[in-house]
Amino acid sequence: MPGQGDVAERYEAYRRGFAIPDGKVDAVFRAAIAACRERTLAHVALPAGESFTLEYVKDKPWSGYNWYKGNFTSVIQVNTDLPIYIDRALDLACHEGYPGHHVYNALIEEQLVRGRGWIEWSVYPLFSPQSLIAEGTANFGIAVAFPEAERLAFERDVLFPLAGLDPAQAARYHEVQRLVGRLSHAGNEAARRYLDGTWSRETAIGWLENHALMGPDRAAQRLRFFDTYRSYVINYNLGEDLVRDYVNGQGGDEQHPARRWEVFLDLLRQPKLPSALAGAAR
């Protein structure tokens, strides 16, 4: 990181240069969503009439949320409480939309509720094993739709210019974000000790700042998420690990993109328990 001193502070200072200006957020997000949808449609026929509404909200404990409304429609909300960085556009477009939650819920309705008459699948129990797979596929779907080299090229050539950012900085920023992503499990430890009552709010926030490289405002928002959703936090990174290992174990590694899509989409269409994925991955 440029500068000297505390790494977390230097990272925050560096990252501020990659925030999407307020007036450009919508254009960047719509471009990202369109690209995610196009890549998803190349591998799966979505139900006729599927669509979603994009909204911008404030005062939420999360950065993005998909509210599935039935009839193959969703409302996708983006929280604008904090600056939105350029990498979050593809992250949220894929995770909440294509091939993430919107596609997952639409295929469940098409394949299970309407196709098989399994009406119980029209109810989604959020705090259940289903969410480990749902969040895991939504997170891993980012890499399925946009392998690293293709993601870098799209962000550099399309999203950076739309946001008014310097495309020449895209490669370095992409590499920094890849490395910071390896720290995500530090958030699980903060949640565990905070929710167990062994850490105070201040201690947990300090841990997130020092070990997950979150700024103070973002760390405080993460504590709001812990307070609201508690152990749900593990579904994101642990779920992604589980799904990645399963897909790779079924021959869907990066060198076989067609097989990767095939195995990934099978997870969206067919109900499975996390234990089945873990066993198959081994």
Side-chain angles (χ1 to χ4, degrees):
M1 289 289 92
Q4 298 179 347
D6 183 78
V7 173
E9 292 178 359
R10 287 157 57 195
Y11 171 64
E12 276 295 298
Y14 171 76
R15 200 181 186 199
R16 279 195 291 272
F18 297 92
I20 305 172
D22 291 344
K24 299 180 182 295
V25 167
D26 189 61
V28 170
F29 265 96
R30 293 191 184 278
I33 290 167
C36 293
R37 186 175 188 272
E38 180 181 7
R39 286 171 175 251
T40 300
L41 285 172
H43 298 275
V44 59
L46 295 177
E50 63 80 22
S51 65
F52 69 87
T53 302
L54 180 62
E55 296 179 351
Y56 299 98
V57 298
K58 288 184 176 293
D59 194 27
K60 304 294 182 182
W62 34 257
S63 57
Y65 208 101
N66 177 295
W67 303 93
Y68 190 67
K69 300 298 184 179
N71 294 319
F72 313 127
T73 63
S74 296
V75 173
I76 297 176
Q77 293 183 331
V78 176
N79 186 5
T80 60
D81 281 344
L82 300 175
I84 301 174
Y85 299 104
I86 191 66
D87 55 296
R88 293 298 286 158
L90 273 184
D91 282 353
L92 291 177
C94 287
H95 182 102
E96 308 296 351
Y98 306 91
H101 291 319
H102 175 67
V103 172
Y104 177 71
N105 287 309
L107 291 180
I108 284 178
E109 181 176 355
E110 179 186 54
Q111 302 285 326
L112 305 185
V113 178
R114 300 191 185 197
R116 300 190 185 184
W118 293 359
I119 193 65
E120 66 271 23
W121 279 85
S122 64
V123 177
Y124 183 156
L126 189 66
F127 294 93
S128 72
Q130 184 178 352
S131 286
L132 190 65
I133 295 177
E135 298 294 357
T137 52
N139 261 6
F140 185 60
I142 301 167
V144 173
F146 279 92
E148 279 200 24
E150 296 176 30
R151 174 172 183 162
L152 171 57
F154 180 77
E155 289 181 334
R156 180 193 63 220
D157 300 339
V158 178
L159 298 188
F160 268 64
L162 272 176
L165 303 178
D166 181 7
Q169 302 299 317
R172 178 176 175 82
Y173 183 72
H174 179 83
E175 176 63 8
V176 168
Q177 293 309 111
R178 185 187 69 81
L179 293 170
V180 171
R182 295 168 60 184
L183 305 176
S184 70
H185 289 77
N188 294 12
E189 184 66 7
R192 183 176 71 86
R193 298 196 185 193
Y194 171 69
L195 295 171
D196 281 350
T198 57
W199 278 0
S200 67
R201 181 179 183 84
E202 291 72 24
T203 300
I205 287 176
W207 171 272
L208 291 172
E209 291 177 13
N210 292 324
H211 295 280
L213 297 188
M214 294 184 184
D217 290 344
R218 204 163 299 275
Q221 184 188 63
R222 198 62 175 163
L223 262 290
R224 285 187 64 194
F225 189 95
F226 298 165
D227 287 333
T228 305
Y229 296 102
R230 300 183 67 78
S231 61
Y232 192 90
V233 67
I234 71 168
N235 291 324
Y236 298 96
N237 44 38
L238 183 61
E240 182 179 357
D241 292 345
L242 181 69
V243 169
R244 179 189 297 107
D245 290 346
Y246 174 80
V247 173
N248 287 343
Q250 303 301 306
D253 56 26
E254 292 182 357
Q255 287 68 47
H256 301 88
R259 176 61 177 166
R260 170 168 278 203
W261 271 103
E262 180 185 355
V263 178
F264 176 81
L265 289 169
D266 181 63
L267 284 176
L268 304 188
R269 295 188 183 105
Q270 302 292 332
K272 290 180 174 63
L273 290 172
S275 57
L277 269 65
R282 289 195 297 269

